[in-house]
Amino acid sequence: MARMSPIAIELVRTPPEAATAMGVGVFADRLDDGDAPDGVDPAFLAAQGFKGKPGQTCVVPGEDGGLIVALGLGPEADVAVATYRKAAAALARAASRCPHLAVDLFDTVPERLARRDVAQALAEGILLGAYRYTALKSDPERSHLESLAVVGTGGAKVRAALERGQAVAEAVCLARDLVNQPGGSLTPTAFATRAEEVGALRHFGVEVLDRNAIEAEKLGGLLGVNRGSEEEPRFVRLSWAPERARGTVALVGKGITFDSGGLSLKTTEGMVGMKGDMAGAAAVLATFSALDAVRPPVRVLGYLPLTDNMPGGDATRVGDVLRIRNGTTVEVLNTDAEGRLVLADGLSLASEDEPDAIVDLATLTGACMVALGTRVAGVMGNHEGFVDAVRAAADTAGEAVWPLPLPADMRRQIDSDVADIKNVAGARWGGALIAGLFLQEFVADGIPWAHLDIAGPAEASEDDPEARKGGTGFGVRTLLELLAGFRKPAKAGAAS
Ligand code: BES
Ligand code: MN
Ligand code: ZN
């Protein structure tokens, strides 16, 4: 299929002449023993301070005028698929001025790793490492990368894995672009239009509900959050199905295109980065963009509530009560806890479609960042087996998630005096769990559900080999991995 990025990735037996920079893998412990790949002088590497650490690179001038790039892989015993993703990303950055790259490191892949997985990781790493958000720069510093030749044998399976890696990485980059686009230009209507364009290109269904349709569908959470805004809300439904589906998975993404806090206004510092409060919705749309290439054996449905959260003259007041799609009434005691209000409508609609499982992704709470830092997402849910499946998928995909509990005895902290439930607890302790307990109210009984709080990892505060400062596209790889290996979770088995 036609790819969005112009970068060609090929499997070749010998490095092509055009390769201007060739990445070779170097194990840290072999280097200590004075051993290095052909054409690379270990003394030169040592003089450059290269120790073979994962993600470390060292450019070595080759004999024929080309470049060799030594790629650190760490100690041989520790090498994992993720090591190769990181090494490829580091290569893309070290050789960003070279249009044609090659990597020759299949020889370093230990028996215990599947070459297919390494091939996928190499393709992902190259594209993720080359990513830049340049749309708004007058004089952008572009990546010159045009092609990557992967040296090795392996045939159709390895080739397919390279293609899959490319599709996955392009999806991640789409999510990054959406997160990086300012809130004043990526409005809810613009996001919905983008979804329609991507759907047409990548062959999945897109249905856009405008304000009237949202009112007709009684999405009171979305309407309540939108009330202070001049921008209309949208609700986007996505759908994709293979010929024979093993089940149905629903994906719900928080789509706050800018979060000012509403009347519970944030500080300026608190608003920086809040153009990225639609990272959950971006991850879901981006995941759909790769389904036609990855072809998981399940039907996939997507639900994206889109609005900004603004403090306009008729904004939802503190103390107002909203009625969510499923009939639950919610007292809004803090308009900055808006994500859970729009997700409540999304989870209600998803539940009505009776999927075999639901996953939601949301930049939901600062509290989750206090608990787990900026690089690890929190995962919560109502079904231990399904939460474990999400954790396993994240592990394989190389994204960090860690479980948090949903203690039943904390639920009474969101009992309301006037409505069925309130949107914040009185105390601030355990804010990520309170948000999770709130969301759980809108998941129909018996549907396995996992909630990913991606407030930390959705945006990076500094460059690293695989991601630039800004949107990371977190969640896309995990979702694609989860869908590809999906099995219906066993009935019952409630968690915590
Ligand atoms: N979008 C924010 C959460 C967030 C904070 C994401 C920082 C990324 C970085 C969310 O809507 C929010 O404002 N949450 C409040 C909840 C509180 C009012 C209960 C928070 O975390 O402070
Ligand atoms: Mn908020
Ligand atoms: Zn928010």
Side-chain angles (χ1 to χ4, degrees):
M1 83 190 280
R3 304 247 61 94
M4 269 188 242
S5 92
I7 299 172
I9 301 185
E10 286 190 298
L11 183 67
V12 299
R13 280 177 188 268
T14 50
E17 300 277 321
T20 49
M22 163 94 107
V24 295
V26 181
F27 289 117
D29 42 353
R30 296 246 196 112
L31 196 58
D32 290 342
D33 300 340
D35 188 11
D38 285 351
V40 181
D41 175 7
F44 179 84
L45 295 180
Q48 301 291 313
F50 179 83
K51 298 203 163 60
K53 289 190 190 146
Q56 201 182 10
T57 58
C58 183
V59 179
V60 184
E63 287 155 14
D64 50 2
L67 295 176
I68 291 182
V69 184
L71 305 172
L73 300 173
E76 191 167 3
D78 297 350
V79 73
V81 171
T83 316
Y84 290 96
R85 189 184 295 108
K86 198 179 225 176
L91 170 65
R93 301 191 59 165
S96 65
R97 294 214 170 73
C98 300
H100 303 290
L101 299 183
V103 270
D104 188 359
L105 39 63
F106 270 164
D107 294 347
T108 67
V109 178
E111 290 278 313
R112 66 194 149 78
L113 301 181
R115 283 198 170 201
R116 257 183 295 160
D117 296 344
V118 172
Q120 180 178 337
L122 289 176
E124 287 176 10
I126 280 285
L127 294 170
L128 296 178
Y131 175 82
R132 285 186 177 99
Y133 183 65
T134 54
L136 303 172
K137 292 273 193 195
S138 311
D139 188 10
E141 200 193 303
R142 287 217 167 76
S143 166
H144 298 262
L145 184 58
E146 286 172 27
S147 73
L148 172 71
V150 177
V151 182
T153 53
K157 281 196 173 155
V158 170
R159 255 188 213 101
L162 288 172
E163 264 193 37
R164 177 173 161 149
Q166 189 162 7
V168 171
E170 280 167 13
V172 174
C173 292
L174 168 61
R176 289 178 179 182
D177 278 346
L178 291 166
V179 168
N180 289 332
Q181 189 174 340
S185 84
L186 189 67
T187 58
T189 33
F191 192 121
T193 303
R194 194 74 196 278
E196 287 176 323
E197 289 165 4
V198 178
L201 206 63
R202 299 287 183 218
H203 312 110
F204 59 88
V206 180
E207 186 196 343
V208 177
L209 310 190
D210 62 11
R211 189 209 292 277
N212 286 334
I214 290 168
E215 277 169 9
E217 294 293 330
K218 300 197 160 83
L219 307 186
L222 180 56
L223 289 167
V225 174
N226 180 252
R227 197 161 156 162
S229 179
E230 305 270 309
E231 286 291 333
E232 285 201 10
R234 290 289 183 266
F235 192 96
V236 174
R237 283 169 164 280
L238 308 173
S239 60
W240 182 88
E243 251 162 44
R244 278 177 302 278
R246 217 189 260 171
T248 299
V249 179
L251 306 177
V252 183
K254 172 177 171 181
I256 299 295
T257 54
F258 179 71
D259 182 10
S260 76
L263 288 180
S264 310
L265 198 64
K266 290 180 184 292
T267 60
T268 305
E269 294 76 45
M271 277 182 224
V272 174
M274 284 303 132
K275 66 174 182 180
D277 209 19
M278 30 51 74
V284 172
L285 175 60
T287 296
F288 272 81
S289 77
L291 293 177
D292 203 42
V294 171
R295 304 205 73 77
V298 284
R299 182 160 81 110
V300 193
L301 302 175
Y303 306 81
L304 312 180
L306 302 166
T307 178
D308 48 6
N309 183 26
M310 298 292 276
D314 192 33
T316 290
R317 289 110 173 121
V318 171
D320 278 357
V321 173
L322 307 177
R323 187 183 294 274
I324 305 300
R325 162 79 184 183
N326 75 346
T328 303
T329 55
V330 180
E331 185 186 12
V332 178
L333 288 180
N334 188 324
T335 64
D336 198 11
E338 83 298 339
R340 62 198 75 181
L341 301 173
V342 304
L343 288 167
D345 283 325
L347 290 166
S348 302
L349 281 173
S351 292
E352 286 172 32
D353 291 333
E354 300 181 352
D356 296 297
I358 301 176
V359 183
D360 78 73
L361 288 93
T363 46
L364 204 59
T365 66
C368 195
M369 300 172 69
V370 173
L372 297 175
T374 58
R375 287 173 178 252
V376 181
V379 61
M380 288 147 263
N382 63 0
H383 186 291
E384 211 174 290
F386 186 56
V387 168
D388 285 347
V390 171
R391 292 181 65 189
D395 220 44
T396 306
E399 295 188 313
V401 311
W402 198 255
L404 296 173
L406 292 178
D409 61 357
M410 281 176 75
R411 164 65 182 79
R412 61 188 150 80
Q413 293 185 45
I414 47 175
D415 285 346
S416 162
D417 297 337
V418 300
D420 297 332
I421 186 174
K422 58 185 180 186
N423 76 331
V424 285
R428 65 192 178 91
W429 313 118
L433 323 185
I434 293 287
L437 286 163
F438 181 95
L439 296 182
Q440 186 167 20
E441 295 293 312
F442 303 92
V443 177
D445 286 344
I447 304 180
W449 157 74
H451 157 58
L452 284 164
D453 191 330
I454 61 170
E459 276 188 74
S461 55
E462 56 189 6
D463 284 2
D464 74 19
E466 283 162 57
R468 302 262 159 185
K469 190 174 173 192
T472 58
F474 187 95
V476 175
R477 276 150 48 192
T478 295
L479 289 178
L480 287 168
E481 190 64 42
L482 178 74
L483 295 170
F486 184 76
R487 274 166 205 292
K488 280 191 194 183
K491 285 268 175 241
S496 52

